Amino acid sequence: RSSDLGSEAYLREGPSYQHKILWVYRHRGYPFLVTASFDVWRRVQTPDGAVGWMSAAMLSDQRTVLITGKGRVQIRESAAGGKVVGLADPGAVAGLKTCTSSACHIHGEDIDGWLPRNRVWGVGAGEVFR
């Protein structure tokens, strides 16, 4: 899932608006891993390991990933390689189209291509996403 509505998404200690805000996220589309549900609340984990609760209204079903690792990663025209169509910096967020066991097809404002699966956070270890 990814953050959706408005310019801010609040990660809270528990599943209610009375619970303390732990973090405020201001990047639309930032990826979260949903680990539990309670009423209109979702317990989520962030790429850096923080765990808390968010209102389901602040989340989207659109899949996104966070680019990880050291240094820029090449984005290629196909899962098998091909020409370089762009570069992504660690910390960048991209839309997720699909993942094979070794590569993920991402898209952004001006980019559409494949990068190694081990350079993204937001896809489960054994998950193949189509």
Side-chain angles (χ1 to χ4, degrees), residues 16-31:
S16 79
Y17 291 109
Q18 287 70 46
H19 281 90
K20 176 181 165 189
I21 295 172
L22 301 172
W23 295 100
V24 177
Y25 292 89
R26 292 183 171 92
H27 190 290
R28 187 180 185 101
Y30 195 74

Side-chain angles (χ1 to χ4, degrees), residues 57-77:
M58 290 189 177
L59 297 170
S60 164
D61 285 332
Q62 180 182 356
R63 294 285 301 261
T64 59
V65 292
L66 183 73
I67 308 304
T68 62
K70 301 257 187 229
R72 287 185 167 164
V73 60
Q74 294 179 342
I75 301 169
R76 299 199 171 258
E77 66 182 350

Side-chain angles (χ1 to χ4, degrees), residues 44-100:
V44 299
Q45 180 179 349
T46 67
D48 63 4
V51 175
W53 292 84
M54 277 192 175
S55 165
M58 290 189 177
L59 297 170
S60 164
D61 285 332
Q62 180 182 356
R63 294 285 301 261
T64 59
V65 292
L66 183 73
I67 308 304
T68 62
K70 301 257 187 229
R72 287 185 167 164
V73 60
Q74 294 179 342
I75 301 169
R76 299 199 171 258
E77 66 182 350
S78 74
K83 76 175 190 172
V84 175
V85 295
L87 300 170
D89 290 318
V93 173
L96 179 65
K97 287 187 169 183
T98 187
C99 277
T100 67

